[in-house]
Amino acid sequence: MEMESTVYAVKQGLRVAVRKMLGWKTSLAYTHAGNGNDWATSIHIAANEGRVNMIRELLFHCPDSLEMLNSNGQNALHVAILNYKTGVVRFLLNSKESHNLIDEPDNDGNTPLHLLAASDWISVPAKLRRRASTKQE
């Protein structure tokens, strides 16, 4: 029941509620939500919904939640790119730990950089363009 409440609060962007829940029990940020072999954590849900404020709140209480993977082996940057959440992509790329996210392959071997290159996004964030050009050298 606690996890469902946290997921609902994250999905709805209820920052104060999320803050109180994580202040009470930080492990809620790491719990899997979903069914069977298809699950995610709160940071994936926030990325999917485009909720930068929720990601900020999660990272404030649980900084290492940025490294969490969903059932597909994807981090929050994978999820944000796949769901065209530009604000989340920018926020995550500006985080200190973004270099850990960019090159992390999912279960299919795709990094966020691969997903971005294969997408139909018109503008590729500058940080990823620079990263892609240095990878090819």
Side-chain angles (χ1 to χ4, degrees), residues 15-28:
R15 191 171 185 175
V16 174
V18 170
R19 180 180 301 140
K20 287 181 179 182
M21 285 185 237
L22 293 176
W24 170 68
K25 193 173 184 180
T26 56
S27 64
L28 293 171

Side-chain angles (χ1 to χ4, degrees), residues 28-86:
L28 293 171
Y30 306 102
T31 307
H32 297 174
N35 299 324
N37 294 332
D38 187 22
W39 51 265
T41 66
S42 293
I43 200 156
H44 297 98
I45 293 162
N48 184 59
E49 297 296 320
R51 303 245 183 232
V52 172
N53 285 339
M54 292 294 98
I55 294 173
R56 278 192 183 105
E57 197 65 44
L58 290 161
L59 294 178
F60 176 78
H61 292 279
C62 312
D64 61 341
S65 66
L66 191 58
E67 300 171 19
M68 296 293 297
L69 303 177
N70 65 14
S71 59
N72 296 317
Q74 298 167 332
N75 61 44
L77 186 56
H78 285 99
V79 173
I81 290 168
L82 287 170
N83 291 286
Y84 299 94
K85 303 301 181 184
T86 309

